[in-house]
Amino acid sequence: MKTGTGFLRRAFALLLCFLLLIPPVASVAAGNGKQNVDVNRSDSLSRLFRDKPEFCLFCGRLHTGFAGALTHFFHDVAYFFCGIVGRYPAEGRMVFTLETLSIGADEPFYFIHAGDTHVGFIDERDAGDERLMETAKRREGDWPAALRTLDDLCVKAKELDAMIVHTGDLIDFVSEKNLDYARDFTAHNDVFACAGNHEYHVYIWDDGEDAPRRERVAEKVQSAFTNDIRFSARVEHGVKFIAVDNSFHTVEQWQADRFKEELADGMPAVLALHVPVYAPDIFEFQMTKLDYPHPAWLMAVPEELMAEYNYEQQWIDEQKANDATKEFYDLIVNAPNLKAILVGHDHANFVSQVTPTLKQYMVACDQGQIFFVN
Ligand SMILES: [Zn+2]
Ligand SMILES: [Zn+2]
């Protein structure tokens, strides 16, 4: 009888795995989803056991409770079977594009630009903060694939031995759980990040974006990153990467000063920002792509153009370029050694021509831009 029960259990598990496999395989067979996902996950078994992720690699979610644990178990098995057939569910996976930057590196190398992951979870450590719990509830499900895209990013970065330049909004709001994910991500990958506005959001959109709001959580958030997310510079193969926090649409004078100092040695430089800088093409793109009133969500927009904004005055005022921001913008458009700008914030793919020789690359949430630099 004992053997019979074991056989039944295994048969039942196999049947379940088979049923769970039908949707992804059918989706791939039908040509749905993003076929150009080219992350190498052929080692699905070792992926499951190497990191032992608490989130589900198969569906991208967090499964909680007893029923969740069971679902997670069967999804793990299904993920393993995906590895055997070499097909994975495409929905919610990161898509990678390849760009070449010929800017005079000492030797060729890769880096990956990604942003706006918006990891949004909460656990019992924040249970005492009702407003935060309510915020998490409100945002629940907005970014269901966040952890899976982050995982794809890690896999791709390891495959290419590439630094990840993350242009902000890694987390959706400040919670202990989200900071744990950020800490884990930056500890296990070579991440060079700048802050996004959501790095400093606790309750999200409940008031404006200003220095006091940032200062309330800045230290705590910084502890989850390995570089200074307000201003950092590092050199890779003769190319200087500079990350500046302009996440509230402006910078402070000390940031403009340090940017000027970093550019002074003439080394080819790549600038990472959260908020894109003004250029006519991206302004036009931003103002026409959305069908509700909004500002352009750009830095250093000329004030006469801001008159077109049909939005709450407080937000418009906050986005007006102060003197430091104007100086920072002038440095950007006049620096011959600044070779590229990497940005996020607006959750769309767009390549903007800031000057005849300077492009800025805006990346969408589920998109990774691989740069081959030489
Ligand atoms: Zn964002
Ligand atoms: Zn943002």
Side-chain angles (χ1 to χ4, degrees):
M1 274 315 284
K2 207 178 166 190
T3 315
T5 313
F7 172 77
L8 274 177
R9 199 182 64 233
R10 284 191 206 106
F12 177 65
L14 261 177
L15 178 68
L16 254 173
C17 293
F18 178 72
L19 290 174
L20 285 167
L21 266 177
I22 289 175
V25 173
S27 145
V28 169
N32 296 332
K34 291 157 184 163
Q35 292 284 315
N36 51 339
V37 173
D38 59 351
V39 176
N40 177 17
R41 293 185 207 86
S42 56
D43 59 342
S44 61
L45 189 63
S46 68
R47 287 222 37 69
L48 284 169
F49 287 96
R50 189 182 65 213
D51 302 320
K52 206 74 193 115
E54 61 177 319
F55 67 94
C56 183
L57 281 163
F58 184 75
C59 73
R61 290 184 172 77
L62 279 175
H63 299 298
T64 52
F66 180 70
L70 266 182
T71 309
H72 199 152
F73 169 74
F74 286 117
H75 279 192
D76 275 356
V77 179
Y79 190 77
F80 170 59
F81 273 77
C82 287
I84 290 175
V85 299
R87 297 285 190 190
Y88 293 86
E91 193 193 341
R93 291 293 188 188
M94 204 159 204
V95 177
F96 290 95
T97 57
L98 181 64
E99 306 266 354
T100 299
L101 278 184
S102 297
I103 56 177
D106 290 347
E107 56 180 329
F109 67 100
Y110 288 104
F111 73 87
I112 305 178
H113 171 215
D116 295 280
T117 321
H118 288 270
V119 171
F121 297 99
I122 199 159
D123 64 13
E124 64 287 348
R125 286 172 289 174
D126 287 304
D129 188 338
E130 266 178 45
R131 263 176 97 194
L132 185 53
M133 295 300 280
E134 187 275 323
T135 302
K137 187 92 198 132
R138 178 159 49 91
R139 305 287 285 185
E140 196 179 358
D142 283 0
W143 315 95
L147 294 177
R148 209 157 55 156
T149 55
L150 213 53
D151 186 67
D152 284 353
L153 188 56
C154 298
V155 174
K156 198 69 187 168
K158 290 221 163 36
E159 190 185 315
L160 296 172
D161 190 22
M163 168 175 75
I164 298 166
V165 179
H166 196 287
T167 47
D169 287 0
L170 176 53
I171 59 171
D172 193 39
F173 51 87
V174 181
S175 71
E176 297 294 340
K177 185 78 173 164
N178 287 342
L179 291 178
D180 278 354
Y181 278 118
R183 202 168 281 120
D184 186 66
F185 175 63
T186 56
H188 292 98
N189 297 280
D190 182 9
V191 179
F192 186 67
C194 62
N197 52 326
H198 283 258
E199 259 71 55
Y200 304 123
H201 272 276
V202 181
Y203 307 119
I204 304 184
W205 309 131
D206 58 338
D207 54 22
E209 295 186 324
D210 52 21
R213 161 186 281 238
R214 179 174 55 233
E215 293 314 316
R216 278 198 289 276
V217 291
E219 202 176 325
K220 183 175 174 176
V221 172
Q222 179 59 57
S223 73
F225 290 85
T226 45
N227 70 296
D228 185 341
I229 59 172
R230 298 226 59 216
F231 191 102
S232 287
R234 66 182 266 184
V235 176
E236 287 293 318
H237 307 289
V239 175
K240 187 176 281 188
F241 288 82
I242 307 171
V244 182
D245 171 12
N246 72 341
S247 61
F248 290 171
H249 297 82
T250 54
V251 297
E252 294 177 351
Q253 190 59 47
W254 67 272
Q255 292 171 301
D257 293 345
R258 282 190 61 186
F259 182 61
K260 189 177 182 179
E261 281 167 28
E262 291 294 347
L263 286 175
D265 58 15
M267 193 182 287
V270 174
L271 174 63
L273 299 170
H274 183 58
V275 177
V277 302
Y278 168 77
D281 58 1
I282 198 167
F283 181 80
E284 168 79 14
F285 175 76
Q286 289 290 106
M287 293 304 285
T288 52
K289 76 172 179 166
L290 302 170
D291 59 0
Y292 58 85
H294 59 88
W297 308 113
L298 301 173
M299 188 195 86
V301 175
E303 268 189 47
E304 62 273 20
L305 291 177
M306 292 178 94
E308 289 179 30
Y309 291 176
N310 176 11
Y311 208 64
E312 289 158 52
Q313 195 58 41
Q314 178 199 358
W315 288 89
I316 297 173
D317 290 343
E318 280 175 7
Q319 293 183 18
K320 279 184 184 156
N322 54 25
D323 288 347
T325 306
K326 284 178 187 160
E327 189 182 326
F328 182 53
Y329 183 78
D330 284 345
L331 287 166
I332 288 171
V333 296
N334 290 306
N337 54 325
L338 182 60
K339 302 299 185 186
I341 310 176
L342 312 170
V343 295
H345 192 46
D346 296 314
H347 300 191
N349 295 310
F350 191 81
V351 181
S352 159
Q353 198 77 48
V354 179
T355 71
T357 55
L358 178 63
K359 284 185 172 134
Q360 68 176 335
Y361 299 85
M362 183 162 75
V363 71
C365 308
D366 60 352
Q367 192 89 17
Q369 292 174 323
I370 299 168
F371 284 88
F372 175 70
V373 190
N374 59 19

